[in-house]
Amino acid sequence: MSGHQVQQCLQRAGGKYVDSAKKDIVGALSQFKDLAPGTDTFMFPDGKRRTAFRLKGTIPVYYKGACYNIPVTVYLWDTHPYYAPICYVNPTATMVIKAKISCFPVSGGISISWQHESLCPMYGLGVVVNSATLANAR
């Protein structure tokens, strides 16, 4: 994945910290080769609809000794990497998400215990996505 493509998407989404966000995103993309960058119109939790940078694709999730490729979309605030991303599972028509699985609620949002804290610069986007892949392995 080219850094130039990531930078163009960040600029379309109005990213405020393009250089640091680009570095973080390119690092995550090197770990998760099935994610692709782009932009979408997204309704953020603050109630504002705007163009957002997003990563979309699959991540490997380990559960009870098996690996499943789970389709996800990760939306980034324009202040990334200084604000935690918003992550969703995009279930296929034949996919069943059981409510008992800890970080994948039926609503589709991915909830990681420290995701809502402002720790992204300290951990990086790759660590956030990796946390989702390992959260159910326990």
Side-chain angles (χ1 to χ4, degrees), residues 79-119:
T79 53
H80 185 79
Y82 300 102
Y83 205 83
I86 302 164
C87 310
Y88 292 98
V89 172
N90 302 323
T92 64
T94 60
M95 192 174 172
V96 176
I97 299 176
K98 296 181 180 179
K100 292 180 184 177
I101 297 178
S102 63
C103 80
F104 298 135
V106 176
S107 68
I110 298 174
S111 178
I112 303 166
S113 61
W114 54 267
Q115 174 188 15
H116 305 291
E117 301 172 21
S118 297
L119 298 178

